[in-house]
Amino acid sequence: MANAQRAANALNNIARAAFAVGIGGAAVNSCLYTVDGGQRAVIFDRFQGVKPDTVGEGTHFLVPWLQKPFIFDIRTRPHTFSSISGTKDLQMVNLTLRVLSRPEVNRLSDIFQTLGLEYDEKVLPSIGNEVLKAVVAQFNADQLLTERPHVSALVRESLIRRAKDFNIVLDDVAITHLSYGAEFSKAVEQKQVAQQEAERSKFVVMKAEQERRAAIIRAEGESESAKLISDATEAAGMGLIELRKIEAAKENAASMAGTECGLSA
């Protein structure tokens, strides 16, 4: 009986110790939080509000219930969004923009107070569309192709400056896609056809001009030949004409003689 009583007491003591250890472990665990690599933490205090200091990587202590950590990912992240904008000559253009963004680490407390953890999703699409529309409106539709490096540079500079107002750093900004509306594409096709027709007409005109010049040169040559014959006739008198007649008669007689020999054979 005594042994059973002692065993029961021992089990009760072990249960109390395990319970105490569990409570202690839970209390210690609630006092710790971990900030992983590429992250930073902002602490919210129920009495003091959001603390201005940013907590770096590692395991840190906090006061349970009184303080709460909010974790920010400070690594560069890609964002892509599209915008349909009007050009200077009232053509609609579809552009796709890709940006690489990260928060400004020293201003995380301000970002958390004004925008929250999803700061990039709230800010980047709106300022991206705003900048694209403002820049595209400065150019004609065809200039977006011929001056694309200049357009990209303007978009990059404007967007970096605009994002800085929200404590967001942009490491890269690039226009990845650009397409025109159906009306503009049709107009470009018609322009190309018109240019081809103009080139063909130009070729026809040049050919006609060459033929005209050749006819003039030929006519001038015939005129010069006739003039030489006329001059020679005047100089030699009728003797030249008679000589030409005799030569022609000889050629005819020789031709007829050859024909008769052929028939006799």
Side-chain angles (χ1 to χ4, degrees):
M1 186 73 179
N3 291 332
Q5 184 65 35
R6 284 196 295 272
N9 292 335
L11 290 174
N12 288 333
N13 291 334
I14 293 173
R16 291 191 187 97
F19 180 75
V21 170
I23 294 296
V28 171
N29 186 59
S30 64
C31 294
L32 298 175
Y33 68 96
T34 300
V35 180
D36 295 330
Q39 296 180 339
R40 295 292 185 273
V42 172
I43 302 299
F44 172 74
D45 190 289
R46 292 183 182 274
F47 294 150
Q48 300 177 4
V50 178
K51 291 190 174 182
D53 297 331
T54 301
V55 182
E57 301 169 0
T59 300
H60 307 275
F61 289 95
L62 55 76
V63 180
W65 183 84
L66 184 63
Q67 295 178 333
K68 182 179 180 180
F70 290 90
I71 307 298
F72 279 85
D73 188 345
I74 62 169
R75 291 169 291 192
T76 299
R77 295 192 294 177
H79 299 272
T80 302
F81 46 88
S82 300
S83 173
I84 299 177
S85 306
T87 62
K88 189 177 181 181
D89 54 353
L90 305 180
Q91 298 293 335
M92 300 308 296
V93 181
N94 185 11
L95 296 121
T96 300
L97 196 66
R98 180 188 61 82
V99 300
L100 298 178
S101 68
R102 56 186 172 85
E104 193 172 342
V105 177
N106 296 331
R107 306 300 298 273
L108 286 179
S109 58
D110 295 334
I111 294 175
F112 179 72
Q113 287 178 309
T114 56
L115 299 172
L117 294 174
E118 302 298 328
Y119 62 94
D120 46 1
E121 298 297 335
K122 295 177 180 178
V123 172
L124 292 179
S126 59
I127 65 173
N129 278 285
E130 174 191 343
V131 169
L132 279 176
K133 291 181 184 298
V135 173
V136 170
Q138 303 176 28
F139 297 88
N140 292 330
D142 56 343
Q143 290 178 315
L144 295 179
L145 290 176
T146 58
E147 301 183 24
R148 183 163 180 169
H150 180 48
V151 175
S152 297
L154 283 179
V155 171
R156 184 182 302 109
E157 293 172 2
S158 301
L159 196 55
I160 290 175
R161 184 171 58 252
R162 194 76 177 86
K164 192 175 182 180
D165 296 337
F166 298 92
N167 303 311
I168 299 175
V169 179
L170 300 183
D171 293 327
D172 184 59
V173 179
I175 297 176
T176 58
H177 176 73
L178 188 153
S179 62
Y180 296 96
E183 293 182 357
F184 182 78
S185 300
K186 184 177 180 181
V188 170
E189 182 179 354
Q190 292 175 346
K191 182 179 180 181
Q192 292 176 344
V193 172
Q195 288 177 343
Q196 293 175 356
E197 291 294 335
E199 290 295 329
R200 188 177 296 109
S201 300
K202 184 178 179 181
F203 172 76
V204 171
V205 171
M206 291 177 62
K207 182 179 179 181
E209 180 65 19
Q210 293 296 331
E211 291 177 351
R212 185 184 67 83
R213 290 181 180 178
I216 292 174
I217 293 173
R218 186 165 53 250
E220 290 176 349
E222 292 175 353
S223 175
E224 184 67 22
S225 176
K227 184 175 182 300
L228 290 174
I229 293 173
S230 176
D231 292 343
T233 302
E234 291 178 358
M238 296 302 294
L240 180 61
I241 297 176
E242 293 297 331
L243 178 61
R244 293 301 185 192
K245 287 181 179 181
I246 294 171
E247 290 176 352
K250 287 181 178 182
E251 290 177 359
N252 290 334
S255 177
M256 291 177 67
T259 303
E260 290 177 357
C261 290
L263 292 174
S264 299

